Structure formats: structure tokens, C-alpha cells
Amino acid sequence: MQKLISYLITPVFFIAFGLCLLIFHPLQWLGFKLFGYSGLKPVVSKLNFCLMRCTNILGTTYRFTNNHDLPTNRPLIIVTNHQSMYDIPPLIWYMRKHHPKFVSKKELGKGIPSVSFNLVHGGSVLIDRNDGKSAIMEIGKLGSYIEKHNRSAVIFPEGTRSRDGHPKPFKPMGLKMLLKKAPSALIVPVSINNSWKLVRFGQFPMGLAAKVSFDVQQPIENKGDLDELIVQIESSVTNGVTSFK
């Protein structure tokens, strides 16, 4: 029954979602052309708030729990599991004061209203998944960028989305490069639950009434032993993922 209802509601969601992307694209362009990054950033934050509100059409609710005082005067490396593309708007909105930047596949860098413009001009990096060497170099550039500007990098070390919520093993090379290039960054593990339920049927129809949660775990300092640190980060993230159980 839920899937049948979703066939009726999903087109409304896609229309609203698409309109947000189309409306905010010229606003991003205008903000960037007039004021540079400082004009682009608030528009991107509001865009992602609106994209979250679009998912409310599907009955989606969000809970973002952060019991930690995260600094704004030093870089952050936000490490999280990945369950769907709908992980991204809440991370941008709820972490907006930390200026989150992403490691994205290069295909997203053109042709998508609002999304492509922000990825190209907002400080994120685009990687070729088929060229591991250049991908690591681009991630290194992101690490240097956040180290210089005291911003945050979001990385999904699983490398691909979990289709059922079950965490995948970390692929550590990209994370290790970020840690090397941003040695002063505070590591912020985040556990995402139930985002996968938005796409439980695939891209159409959408899943209904997903209760998506984001839990910021205890931040971790980089003390130099990167292999041990990555094990600690992975454990912190995956221990908070329960939606597959």
C-alpha cells in the first residue's frame, strides 16, 4: 500500500525538488558574481534547507543530534557513512556554520542546476573514480583548502552508498590524504540512519515516512598515527548506525 501511495506522491516531490534547483541556480550565480564566496554560501545554505523541506512531502522527518561544541576557528573533517544522495542537504544545512565541502564524482560537476555550480565554485572537489592517483591529489587539495580557510571537508569513506543501511568497510586512502593535508583539523564522526529508506524502491517511487537521523559522535583529535586513527573513526561512525538492524 505504501508503494502504491508513493507512486502518487513522488511526482509532486520531484516537481518541488526540481523547482528548488532551478530557482536557486540564478540566485547562486548572482550571489557569486556580485560578492564571491560570501555571496554564494548563504544561498547554498538556504537551497539545502528548501531541499530538505521538499522531502517532507514524502513524510520524511529529520533529527540532528550534536552534543558537542564544534569550533569554527579551526578546520573539521566530517566523516560519515553514506546511504543516499539525500544525506547531503541536511549535512550542509545543519553544519552550515562550518562551511562543509564535499568530495564528489566529476559527473556531478556539470549539467545539474544549482548542484554543479556550487560544486565547481564553492570549494568542493570533483574526482574521477577511474583515476585513483588524480582523485587522491584532488582530495589533498581539499585538505589544504580547509586547513588554510578553517572550513570543513565531508568525506564518505565507504566509497559508495549503502543500499540497505548496513555500513560498508572504509576505503581509507582518501581520508588518510585529508588527515595529512589538514593536520590541525578536528575529526567529527557522524552516523546517519534511515536515509536509505528514501530510496528503498530505487529512484522511483520514493520511500515514504523515513525518520532520518544524524548523530554527531565524540570528536577525535589527530595525534599522528593515521592508521590507528582511521580505525577509531570507522568504529565511532559504524557503532552509531543501527537502521539496518
Side-chain angles (χ1 to χ4, degrees):
M1 178 60 73
Q2 184 187 98
K3 191 172 183 179
L4 179 61
I5 295 172
S6 185
Y7 275 110
L8 301 175
I9 296 176
T10 296
V12 179
F13 161 72
F14 280 140
I15 291 170
F17 196 89
L19 282 174
C20 281
L21 296 180
L22 290 172
I23 291 169
F24 276 90
H25 185 85
L27 297 177
Q28 286 188 73
W29 182 89
L30 186 63
F32 183 73
K33 294 300 180 182
L34 292 178
F35 305 107
Y37 177 81
S38 63
L40 174 65
K41 195 270 180 186
V43 179
V44 171
S45 296
K46 290 179 176 62
L47 163 65
N48 283 277
F49 174 79
C50 291
L51 294 178
M52 287 173 57
R53 297 287 74 85
C54 289
T55 65
N56 294 154
I57 295 169
L58 303 167
T60 306
T61 60
Y62 294 94
R63 176 180 59 79
F64 191 94
T65 303
N66 175 24
N67 297 318
H68 312 283
D69 185 17
L70 301 178
T72 57
N73 60 350
R74 63 182 290 194
L76 305 180
I77 297 176
I78 300 167
V79 186
T80 181
N81 59 308
H82 195 19
Q83 296 188 348
S84 79
M85 63 175 280
Y86 302 99
D87 298 336
I88 295 171
L91 286 169
I92 293 175
W93 174 249
Y94 287 113
M95 301 295 285
R96 61 192 180 278
K97 68 178 181 180
H98 303 287
H99 302 258
K101 312 302 171 191
F102 289 80
V103 179
S104 301
K105 57 185 180 181
K106 68 176 186 178
E107 291 81 3
L108 298 179
K110 56 184 178 180
I112 306 174
S114 288
V115 173
S116 298
F117 189 89
N118 179 48
L119 287 174
V120 171
H121 298 287
S124 296
V125 296
L126 298 167
I127 63 170
D128 183 351
R129 290 183 173 181
N130 297 316
D131 187 345
K133 184 176 180 179
S134 70
I136 292 298
M137 290 177 63
E138 290 300 312
I139 292 171
K141 291 178 183 178
L142 178 59
S144 298
Y145 172 85
I146 66 167
E147 181 75 9
K148 178 180 179 180
H149 297 285
N150 287 332
R151 291 174 181 161
S152 64
V154 180
I155 188 167
F156 303 106
E158 294 164 302
T160 187
R161 291 172 284 179
S162 170
R163 303 296 180 182
D164 59 2
H166 197 290
K168 296 178 179 292
F170 276 17
K171 297 178 180 179
M173 291 303 296
L175 176 55
K176 185 175 286 189
M177 177 58 76
L178 273 181
L179 294 167
K180 287 180 179 178
K181 293 295 184 177
S184 71
L186 182 67
I187 296 91
V188 182
V190 177
S191 304
I192 300 175
N193 281 288
N194 293 322
S195 173
W196 68 274
K197 293 181 179 179
L198 280 159
V199 289
R200 70 181 78 185
F201 306 127
Q203 295 304 314
F204 188 91
M206 298 290 294
L208 300 181
K211 299 182 185 300
V212 182
S213 65
F214 294 74
D215 295 293
V216 177
Q217 310 297 349
Q218 179 67 45
I220 304 170
E221 295 285 356
N222 181 354
K223 297 182 178 179
D225 187 336
L226 298 187
D227 291 325
E228 180 180 334
L229 178 59
I230 290 171
V231 170
Q232 185 181 359
I233 297 168
E234 182 172 8
S235 176
S236 180
V237 171
T238 57
N239 285 344
V241 180
T242 60
S243 61
F244 64 94
K245 296 178 181 178

